[in-house]
Short mmCIF file of all heavy atoms in Angstrom, two decimals:
data_model
loop_
_atom_site.label_atom_id
_atom_site.label_comp_id
_atom_site.label_asym_id
_atom_site.label_seq_id
_atom_site.Cartn_x
_atom_site.Cartn_y
_atom_site.Cartn_z
N VAL A 1330 21.97 22.63 -30.52
CA VAL A 1330 22.63 21.47 -29.93
C VAL A 1330 22.85 21.67 -28.44
O VAL A 1330 22.58 20.78 -27.61
CB VAL A 1330 23.95 21.12 -30.68
CG1 VAL A 1330 24.76 20.09 -29.92
CG2 VAL A 1330 23.67 20.67 -32.08
N ILE A 1331 23.34 22.85 -28.06
CA ILE A 1331 23.56 23.14 -26.64
C ILE A 1331 22.24 23.08 -25.83
O ILE A 1331 22.17 22.51 -24.77
CB ILE A 1331 24.24 24.53 -26.45
CG1 ILE A 1331 25.62 24.50 -27.03
CG2 ILE A 1331 24.25 24.97 -25.00
CD1 ILE A 1331 26.62 23.55 -26.37
N ALA A 1332 21.18 23.69 -26.42
CA ALA A 1332 19.86 23.68 -25.77
C ALA A 1332 19.34 22.26 -25.60
O ALA A 1332 18.77 21.88 -24.54
CB ALA A 1332 18.87 24.52 -26.53
N LEU A 1333 19.48 21.42 -26.63
CA LEU A 1333 19.06 20.02 -26.54
C LEU A 1333 19.83 19.25 -25.44
O LEU A 1333 19.26 18.54 -24.64
CB LEU A 1333 19.21 19.32 -27.89
CG LEU A 1333 18.14 19.56 -28.91
CD1 LEU A 1333 18.53 18.96 -30.26
CD2 LEU A 1333 16.81 18.98 -28.43
N ALA A 1334 21.15 19.45 -25.45
CA ALA A 1334 21.97 18.79 -24.45
C ALA A 1334 21.58 19.23 -23.09
O ALA A 1334 21.46 18.39 -22.14
CB ALA A 1334 23.47 19.06 -24.72
N MET A 1335 21.41 20.50 -22.88
CA MET A 1335 21.05 21.04 -21.52
C MET A 1335 19.69 20.51 -21.11
O MET A 1335 19.47 20.17 -19.96
CB MET A 1335 21.05 22.57 -21.55
CG MET A 1335 22.40 23.22 -21.73
SD MET A 1335 23.54 22.77 -20.39
CE MET A 1335 22.75 23.48 -18.99
N THR A 1336 18.71 20.48 -22.05
CA THR A 1336 17.39 19.99 -21.72
C THR A 1336 17.42 18.55 -21.33
O THR A 1336 16.77 18.16 -20.35
CB THR A 1336 16.43 20.24 -22.91
OG1 THR A 1336 16.44 21.63 -23.21
CG2 THR A 1336 15.02 19.81 -22.58
N PHE A 1337 18.17 17.69 -22.05
CA PHE A 1337 18.27 16.28 -21.69
C PHE A 1337 18.98 16.12 -20.35
O PHE A 1337 18.57 15.28 -19.54
CB PHE A 1337 18.94 15.48 -22.81
CG PHE A 1337 18.04 15.19 -23.94
CD1 PHE A 1337 18.27 15.74 -25.18
CD2 PHE A 1337 16.95 14.35 -23.81
CE1 PHE A 1337 17.41 15.50 -26.26
CE2 PHE A 1337 16.09 14.08 -24.86
CZ PHE A 1337 16.35 14.64 -26.09
N MET A 1338 20.02 16.88 -20.13
CA MET A 1338 20.75 16.81 -18.85
C MET A 1338 19.83 17.24 -17.68
O MET A 1338 19.77 16.54 -16.66
CB MET A 1338 21.99 17.67 -18.87
CG MET A 1338 22.86 17.54 -17.61
SD MET A 1338 24.28 18.61 -17.66
CE MET A 1338 23.52 20.18 -17.27
N ILE A 1339 19.10 18.33 -17.85
CA ILE A 1339 18.23 18.77 -16.80
C ILE A 1339 17.10 17.76 -16.59
O ILE A 1339 16.70 17.46 -15.46
CB ILE A 1339 17.61 20.16 -17.16
CG1 ILE A 1339 18.71 21.22 -17.10
CG2 ILE A 1339 16.48 20.53 -16.22
CD1 ILE A 1339 18.30 22.58 -17.73
N GLY A 1340 16.58 17.15 -17.67
CA GLY A 1340 15.55 16.11 -17.52
C GLY A 1340 16.09 14.89 -16.78
O GLY A 1340 15.40 14.31 -15.95
N TRP A 1341 17.30 14.49 -17.06
CA TRP A 1341 17.93 13.37 -16.36
C TRP A 1341 18.05 13.67 -14.90
O TRP A 1341 17.73 12.84 -14.05
CB TRP A 1341 19.29 13.07 -17.00
CG TRP A 1341 20.06 12.00 -16.32
CD1 TRP A 1341 19.89 10.66 -16.48
CD2 TRP A 1341 21.12 12.13 -15.41
NE1 TRP A 1341 20.79 9.97 -15.70
CE2 TRP A 1341 21.58 10.87 -15.00
CE3 TRP A 1341 21.77 13.28 -14.83
CZ2 TRP A 1341 22.58 10.68 -14.10
CZ3 TRP A 1341 22.77 13.08 -13.90
CH2 TRP A 1341 23.17 11.79 -13.56
N ILE A 1342 18.54 14.88 -14.57
CA ILE A 1342 18.65 15.32 -13.16
C ILE A 1342 17.26 15.36 -12.51
O ILE A 1342 17.11 14.87 -11.39
CB ILE A 1342 19.35 16.68 -13.06
CG1 ILE A 1342 20.82 16.51 -13.47
CG2 ILE A 1342 19.23 17.24 -11.65
CD1 ILE A 1342 21.58 17.84 -13.60
N TYR A 1343 16.29 15.91 -13.22
CA TYR A 1343 14.94 15.98 -12.66
C TYR A 1343 14.42 14.59 -12.26
O TYR A 1343 13.81 14.42 -11.20
CB TYR A 1343 13.99 16.60 -13.71
CG TYR A 1343 12.58 16.86 -13.18
CD1 TYR A 1343 12.28 18.11 -12.64
CD2 TYR A 1343 11.59 15.91 -13.24
CE1 TYR A 1343 11.01 18.37 -12.14
CE2 TYR A 1343 10.32 16.18 -12.74
CZ TYR A 1343 10.05 17.39 -12.22
OH TYR A 1343 8.78 17.67 -11.71
N LEU A 1344 14.68 13.61 -13.08
CA LEU A 1344 14.22 12.24 -12.78
C LEU A 1344 14.97 11.62 -11.59
O LEU A 1344 14.44 10.75 -10.93
CB LEU A 1344 14.36 11.34 -14.00
CG LEU A 1344 13.43 11.70 -15.18
CD1 LEU A 1344 13.78 10.87 -16.40
CD2 LEU A 1344 11.98 11.55 -14.79
N LYS A 1345 16.16 12.09 -11.30
CA LYS A 1345 16.98 11.55 -10.21
C LYS A 1345 16.75 12.30 -8.90
O LYS A 1345 17.09 11.80 -7.86
CB LYS A 1345 18.45 11.59 -10.58
CG LYS A 1345 18.80 10.64 -11.70
CD LYS A 1345 20.26 10.57 -11.96
CE LYS A 1345 21.05 9.74 -11.02
NZ LYS A 1345 20.93 8.31 -11.00
N ILE A 1346 16.12 13.47 -8.97
CA ILE A 1346 15.88 14.25 -7.74
C ILE A 1346 14.99 13.42 -6.83
O ILE A 1346 13.92 12.96 -7.25
CB ILE A 1346 15.23 15.62 -8.05
CG1 ILE A 1346 16.22 16.48 -8.88
CG2 ILE A 1346 14.85 16.36 -6.78
CD1 ILE A 1346 15.59 17.78 -9.38
N PRO A 1347 15.36 13.27 -5.55
CA PRO A 1347 14.52 12.52 -4.63
C PRO A 1347 13.11 13.14 -4.50
O PRO A 1347 12.94 14.36 -4.61
CB PRO A 1347 15.26 12.63 -3.30
CG PRO A 1347 16.69 12.90 -3.67
CD PRO A 1347 16.60 13.73 -4.94
N TYR A 1348 12.15 12.25 -4.30
CA TYR A 1348 10.76 12.68 -4.19
C TYR A 1348 10.46 13.08 -2.78
O TYR A 1348 9.68 12.42 -2.07
CB TYR A 1348 9.83 11.58 -4.69
CG TYR A 1348 10.00 11.32 -6.15
CD1 TYR A 1348 10.81 10.25 -6.61
CD2 TYR A 1348 9.38 12.13 -7.08
CE1 TYR A 1348 10.97 10.07 -7.96
CE2 TYR A 1348 9.54 11.92 -8.46
CZ TYR A 1348 10.36 10.90 -8.88
OH TYR A 1348 10.52 10.68 -10.20
N ARG A 1349 11.09 14.17 -2.33
CA ARG A 1349 10.88 14.70 -1.00
C ARG A 1349 10.62 16.19 -1.13
O ARG A 1349 11.11 16.88 -2.02
CB ARG A 1349 12.08 14.48 -0.11
CG ARG A 1349 12.29 12.96 0.21
CD ARG A 1349 13.28 12.81 1.36
NE ARG A 1349 14.59 13.20 0.94
CZ ARG A 1349 15.61 12.36 0.73
NH1 ARG A 1349 15.42 11.06 0.90
NH2 ARG A 1349 16.79 12.80 0.37
N ARG A 1350 9.85 16.71 -0.18
CA ARG A 1350 9.44 18.11 -0.15
C ARG A 1350 10.64 19.06 -0.25
O ARG A 1350 10.58 20.09 -0.90
CB ARG A 1350 8.62 18.42 1.06
CG ARG A 1350 8.09 19.81 1.11
CD ARG A 1350 7.28 20.09 2.35
NE ARG A 1350 6.17 19.19 2.45
CZ ARG A 1350 4.93 19.49 2.08
NH1 ARG A 1350 4.66 20.67 1.60
NH2 ARG A 1350 3.95 18.61 2.20
N ARG A 1351 11.71 18.71 0.42
CA ARG A 1351 12.90 19.63 0.47
C ARG A 1351 13.52 19.87 -0.90
O ARG A 1351 14.26 20.83 -1.11
CB ARG A 1351 13.92 19.14 1.48
CG ARG A 1351 15.02 18.29 0.95
CD ARG A 1351 15.99 17.90 2.06
NE ARG A 1351 16.93 18.95 2.29
CZ ARG A 1351 18.24 18.82 2.10
NH1 ARG A 1351 18.73 17.73 1.67
NH2 ARG A 1351 19.04 19.82 2.32
N TYR A 1352 13.24 18.95 -1.83
CA TYR A 1352 13.80 19.11 -3.17
C TYR A 1352 12.84 19.76 -4.16
O TYR A 1352 13.16 19.91 -5.35
CB TYR A 1352 14.24 17.74 -3.71
CG TYR A 1352 15.48 17.23 -3.07
CD1 TYR A 1352 15.42 16.25 -2.09
CD2 TYR A 1352 16.73 17.77 -3.37
CE1 TYR A 1352 16.59 15.79 -1.45
CE2 TYR A 1352 17.88 17.31 -2.76
CZ TYR A 1352 17.81 16.34 -1.80
OH TYR A 1352 18.95 15.88 -1.19
N MET A 1353 11.64 20.15 -3.71
CA MET A 1353 10.68 20.80 -4.60
C MET A 1353 11.24 22.08 -5.23
O MET A 1353 11.05 22.28 -6.45
CB MET A 1353 9.38 21.09 -3.85
CG MET A 1353 8.25 21.52 -4.75
SD MET A 1353 7.84 20.34 -6.03
CE MET A 1353 7.17 19.05 -5.02
N PRO A 1354 11.95 22.93 -4.49
CA PRO A 1354 12.53 24.10 -5.16
C PRO A 1354 13.50 23.73 -6.28
O PRO A 1354 13.54 24.39 -7.34
CB PRO A 1354 13.24 24.83 -4.05
CG PRO A 1354 12.57 24.41 -2.81
CD PRO A 1354 12.16 22.98 -3.04
N LEU A 1355 14.25 22.66 -6.09
CA LEU A 1355 15.20 22.21 -7.12
C LEU A 1355 14.44 21.72 -8.35
O LEU A 1355 14.85 21.98 -9.51
CB LEU A 1355 16.07 21.10 -6.57
CG LEU A 1355 17.35 20.78 -7.31
CD1 LEU A 1355 18.25 22.00 -7.47
CD2 LEU A 1355 18.11 19.66 -6.61
N ARG A 1356 13.31 21.10 -8.14
CA ARG A 1356 12.46 20.67 -9.30
C ARG A 1356 11.94 21.86 -10.06
O ARG A 1356 11.93 21.90 -11.27
CB ARG A 1356 11.31 19.81 -8.79
CG ARG A 1356 11.66 18.47 -8.36
CD ARG A 1356 10.46 17.64 -7.96
NE ARG A 1356 10.92 16.32 -7.60
CZ ARG A 1356 11.26 15.40 -8.48
NH1 ARG A 1356 11.20 15.65 -9.77
NH2 ARG A 1356 11.69 14.22 -8.10
N CYS A 1357 11.53 22.90 -9.32
CA CYS A 1357 11.05 24.13 -9.97
C CYS A 1357 12.15 24.79 -10.80
O CYS A 1357 11.90 25.28 -11.92
CB CYS A 1357 10.52 25.12 -8.92
SG CYS A 1357 8.99 24.55 -8.13
N VAL A 1358 13.36 24.81 -10.24
CA VAL A 1358 14.48 25.40 -10.98
C VAL A 1358 14.74 24.60 -12.27
O VAL A 1358 14.94 25.19 -13.33
CB VAL A 1358 15.77 25.40 -10.09
CG1 VAL A 1358 17.02 25.58 -10.93
CG2 VAL A 1358 15.65 26.46 -9.01
N ALA A 1359 14.65 23.28 -12.19
CA ALA A 1359 14.86 22.45 -13.38
C ALA A 1359 13.81 22.74 -14.45
O ALA A 1359 14.14 22.85 -15.63
CB ALA A 1359 14.82 20.96 -12.98
N VAL A 1360 12.56 22.93 -14.02
CA VAL A 1360 11.50 23.23 -14.96
C VAL A 1360 11.74 24.63 -15.60
O VAL A 1360 11.62 24.79 -16.83
CB VAL A 1360 10.13 23.16 -14.29
CG1 VAL A 1360 9.02 23.74 -15.16
CG2 VAL A 1360 9.79 21.74 -13.89
N LEU A 1361 12.13 25.60 -14.82
CA LEU A 1361 12.39 26.92 -15.35
C LEU A 1361 13.55 26.93 -16.35
O LEU A 1361 13.41 27.50 -17.44
CB LEU A 1361 12.79 27.91 -14.20
CG LEU A 1361 11.64 28.54 -13.42
CD1 LEU A 1361 12.19 29.26 -12.19
CD2 LEU A 1361 10.88 29.53 -14.30
N LEU A 1362 14.62 26.28 -15.99
CA LEU A 1362 15.80 26.23 -16.87
C LEU A 1362 15.50 25.54 -18.20
O LEU A 1362 15.88 25.99 -19.27
CB LEU A 1362 16.97 25.57 -16.18
CG LEU A 1362 17.57 26.33 -15.00
CD1 LEU A 1362 18.68 25.53 -14.31
CD2 LEU A 1362 18.16 27.68 -15.47
N SER A 1363 14.79 24.39 -18.08
CA SER A 1363 14.50 23.64 -19.32
C SER A 1363 13.49 24.40 -20.22
O SER A 1363 13.62 24.41 -21.43
CB SER A 1363 14.04 22.22 -19.03
OG SER A 1363 12.93 22.23 -18.17
N ALA A 1364 12.50 25.02 -19.57
CA ALA A 1364 11.52 25.80 -20.37
C ALA A 1364 12.19 26.98 -21.06
O ALA A 1364 11.89 27.29 -22.20
CB ALA A 1364 10.38 26.31 -19.44
N GLY A 1365 13.12 27.63 -20.39
CA GLY A 1365 13.88 28.73 -21.00
C GLY A 1365 14.71 28.25 -22.21
O GLY A 1365 14.72 28.88 -23.25
N ALA A 1366 15.39 27.16 -21.99
CA ALA A 1366 16.24 26.63 -23.07
C ALA A 1366 15.37 26.21 -24.29
O ALA A 1366 15.71 26.52 -25.41
CB ALA A 1366 17.04 25.42 -22.56
N VAL A 1367 14.30 25.50 -24.02
CA VAL A 1367 13.43 25.05 -25.12
C VAL A 1367 12.71 26.21 -25.78
O VAL A 1367 12.56 26.26 -27.02
CB VAL A 1367 12.42 23.98 -24.59
CG1 VAL A 1367 11.36 23.66 -25.64
CG2 VAL A 1367 13.17 22.71 -24.25
N GLY A 1368 12.27 27.22 -25.01
CA GLY A 1368 11.62 28.37 -25.59
C GLY A 1368 12.47 29.06 -26.64
O GLY A 1368 12.00 29.35 -27.75
N ASN A 1369 13.74 29.31 -26.28
CA ASN A 1369 14.61 29.97 -27.26
C ASN A 1369 15.04 29.02 -28.37
O ASN A 1369 15.22 29.43 -29.53
CB ASN A 1369 15.84 30.58 -26.55
CG ASN A 1369 15.51 31.88 -25.86
OD1 ASN A 1369 14.52 32.52 -26.18
ND2 ASN A 1369 16.29 32.24 -24.88
N MET A 1370 15.17 27.72 -28.05
CA MET A 1370 15.49 26.72 -29.06
C MET A 1370 14.44 26.67 -30.18
O MET A 1370 14.74 26.59 -31.34
CB MET A 1370 15.72 25.38 -28.43
CG MET A 1370 16.11 24.30 -29.45
SD MET A 1370 16.27 22.64 -28.72
CE MET A 1370 14.55 22.28 -28.36
N LEU A 1371 13.17 26.72 -29.74
CA LEU A 1371 12.09 26.68 -30.73
C LEU A 1371 12.17 27.87 -31.67
O LEU A 1371 11.93 27.73 -32.88
CB LEU A 1371 10.72 26.65 -29.99
CG LEU A 1371 10.40 25.36 -29.26
CD1 LEU A 1371 9.11 25.50 -28.46
CD2 LEU A 1371 10.29 24.21 -30.23
N ASP A 1372 12.50 29.04 -31.14
CA ASP A 1372 12.71 30.21 -32.01
C ASP A 1372 13.78 29.97 -33.04
O ASP A 1372 13.64 30.27 -34.21
CB ASP A 1372 13.10 31.44 -31.21
CG ASP A 1372 11.89 32.16 -30.62
OD1 ASP A 1372 10.81 31.61 -30.59
OD2 ASP A 1372 12.06 33.34 -30.22
N ARG A 1373 14.90 29.42 -32.55
CA ARG A 1373 16.04 29.19 -33.45
C ARG A 1373 15.67 28.19 -34.54
O ARG A 1373 16.09 28.36 -35.70
CB ARG A 1373 17.24 28.69 -32.67
CG ARG A 1373 17.80 29.74 -31.72
CD ARG A 1373 18.98 29.17 -30.92
NE ARG A 1373 19.29 29.99 -29.77
CZ ARG A 1373 19.88 31.17 -29.84
NH1 ARG A 1373 20.19 31.71 -30.98
NH2 ARG A 1373 20.14 31.84 -28.72
N ILE A 1374 14.91 27.15 -34.18
CA ILE A 1374 14.53 26.12 -35.16
C ILE A 1374 13.52 26.67 -36.16
O ILE A 1374 13.67 26.49 -37.37
CB ILE A 1374 13.93 24.89 -34.45
CG1 ILE A 1374 15.05 24.16 -33.66
CG2 ILE A 1374 13.28 23.94 -35.44
CD1 ILE A 1374 14.54 23.05 -32.74
N PHE A 1375 12.48 27.35 -35.69
CA PHE A 1375 11.39 27.75 -36.59
C PHE A 1375 11.52 29.11 -37.21
O PHE A 1375 10.91 29.41 -38.24
CB PHE A 1375 10.04 27.61 -35.87
CG PHE A 1375 9.73 26.20 -35.52
CD1 PHE A 1375 9.77 25.75 -34.21
CD2 PHE A 1375 9.44 25.28 -36.52
CE1 PHE A 1375 9.48 24.43 -33.87
CE2 PHE A 1375 9.17 23.95 -36.20
CZ PHE A 1375 9.16 23.52 -34.89
#
Side-chain angles (χ1 to χ4, degrees):
V1330 169
I1331 295 297
L1333 279 172
M1335 292 300 297
T1336 302
F1337 282 113
M1338 184 181 77
I1339 292 167
W1341 177 80
I1342 291 170
Y1343 187 92
L1344 293 173
K1345 294 187 77 70
I1346 296 173
Y1348 294 97
R1349 292 194 292 251
R1350 183 180 302 262
R1351 94 178 277 245
Y1352 287 104
M1353 190 59 67
L1355 197 56
R1356 288 183 176 284
C1357 292
V1358 164
V1360 170
L1361 277 170
L1362 292 174
S1363 57
V1367 168
N1369 282 340
M1370 181 183 70
L1371 290 173
D1372 275 16
R1373 293 179 196 287
I1374 291 170
F1375 295 109

